[in-house]
């Protein structure tokens, strides 16, 4: 009987692929800091990840796709950190936890977030991903506002419309603060938390 196990071989190959993909994305993030998006090339990413250009194209079809995957990985971290809290916690705690996790992510991956915002209007893959991510967070913010007693609906004074405004305010505030310092990010977090609490009628 053969000692070859196809299923085990596939699992090993999948794990190797995961490691290579992670190396590609990690290299892309490092190169964004070193060279910037425009100067970074597919060859640079492949070299930094320790693979050939041809091997990289097995995983991603272009530089845009690499960056889109990096953005997806980054925002997924924020979503996973925030989702359970947003859905379950008492509104004040949910808001505080959401802002804490947001500032942590921007401290760790602010350059990726800014790159996503900068490219969202010109790179369709990244624009679609960013809009989808915003919709997820708008839904989560809406749920927190409704638990705080804000009426459901899309009128200006209702939860869905307020959540949309809050989401995009948070994005712009953190975008600008992340270009300055960690202290500015902490200030941005405190400001956004206060506005969110005020919107929810929780600043007593």
């Amino acid at each position: 009987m053969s000692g070859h196990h196809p299923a085990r071989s596939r699992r090993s190959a999948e794990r190797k692929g995961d490691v290579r993909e992670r190396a590609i994305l990690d290299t892309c993030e490092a190169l964004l800091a070193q060279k910037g998006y425009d100067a970074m090339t597919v060859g640079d990413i492949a070299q930094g990840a320790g693979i050939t250009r041809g091997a990289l194209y097995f995983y991603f079809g272009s530089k845009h796709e690499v960056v889109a995957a990096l953005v997806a990985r980054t925002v997924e971290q924020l979503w996973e950190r925030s989702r359970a809290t947003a859905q379950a916690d008492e509104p004040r705690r949910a808001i505080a936890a959401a802002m804490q996790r947001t500032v942590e992510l921007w401290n760790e991956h602010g350059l990726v977030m800014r790159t996503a915002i900068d490219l969202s209007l010109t790179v369709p893959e990244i624009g679609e991903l960013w809009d989808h991510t915003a919709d997820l967070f708008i839904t989560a913010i809406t749920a927190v506002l409704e638990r705080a007693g804000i009426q459901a609906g899309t009128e200006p004074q209702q939860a869905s419309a307020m959540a949309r405004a809050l989401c995009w305010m948070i994005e712009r505030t953190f975008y600008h603060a992340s270009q300055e310092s960690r202290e500015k990010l902490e200030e941005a977090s405190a400001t956004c938390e206060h506005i969110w609490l005020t919107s929810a009628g929780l600043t007593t």
Side-chain angles (χ1 to χ4, degrees):
M1 183 175 178
S2 172
H4 179 62
H5 299 278
R8 185 181 304 165
S9 297
R10 284 196 298 271
R11 287 196 297 270
S12 297
E14 288 162 1
R15 286 196 294 272
K16 185 176 181 181
D18 290 343
V19 170
R20 281 191 171 178
E21 185 171 324
R22 186 165 61 251
I24 291 167
L25 299 184
D26 290 345
T27 299
C28 179
E29 183 163 8
L31 287 169
L32 284 174
Q34 294 167 16
K35 292 190 168 188
Y37 176 80
D38 290 334
M40 177 180 68
T41 68
V42 168
D44 294 330
I45 300 170
Q47 182 178 14
I51 60 175
T52 66
R53 285 171 59 99
L56 186 144
Y57 284 123
F58 178 79
Y59 298 95
F60 301 102
S62 67
K63 181 172 73 170
H64 289 165
E65 286 188 14
V66 179
V67 175
L70 175 60
V71 172
R73 183 180 73 172
T74 304
V75 297
E76 178 65 17
Q77 292 175 11
L78 177 59
W79 179 239
E80 287 300 322
R81 293 175 187 177
S82 303
R83 176 173 50 191
T85 298
Q87 292 173 348
D89 272 12
E90 180 273 330
R92 286 180 187 273
R93 289 199 300 272
I95 292 168
M99 296 315 307
Q100 180 58 39
R101 288 170 179 138
T102 300
V103 78
E104 288 170 359
L105 186 80
W106 277 86
N107 271 323
E108 295 167 10
H109 303 289
L111 184 56
V112 176
M113 303 291 277
R114 290 199 306 273
T115 300
I117 293 167
D118 290 340
L119 296 177
S120 62
L121 295 178
T122 57
V123 180
E125 304 98 313
I126 294 175
E128 291 171 10
L129 171 63
W130 200 249
D131 287 344
H132 175 66
T133 301
D135 287 341
L136 289 175
F137 282 96
I138 288 165
T139 299
I141 294 169
T142 299
V144 174
L145 291 172
E146 290 177 358
R147 289 207 308 278
I150 303 300
Q151 183 182 5
T154 58
E155 294 299 317
Q157 75 279 11
Q158 294 175 333
S160 181
M162 292 170 65
R164 184 169 295 278
L166 284 165
C167 179
W168 293 115
M169 176 206 70
I170 291 167
E171 181 219 81
R172 299 315 302 176
T173 302
F174 275 83
Y175 177 93
H176 291 295
S178 70
Q179 295 175 296
E180 298 188 43
S181 66
R182 288 177 177 267
E183 289 75 18
K184 288 295 184 181
L185 278 172
E186 292 290 346
E187 291 176 12
S189 179
T191 298
C192 291
E193 182 175 343
H194 177 74
I195 293 172
W196 192 351
L197 287 167
T198 301
S199 300
L202 298 173
T203 52
T204 57

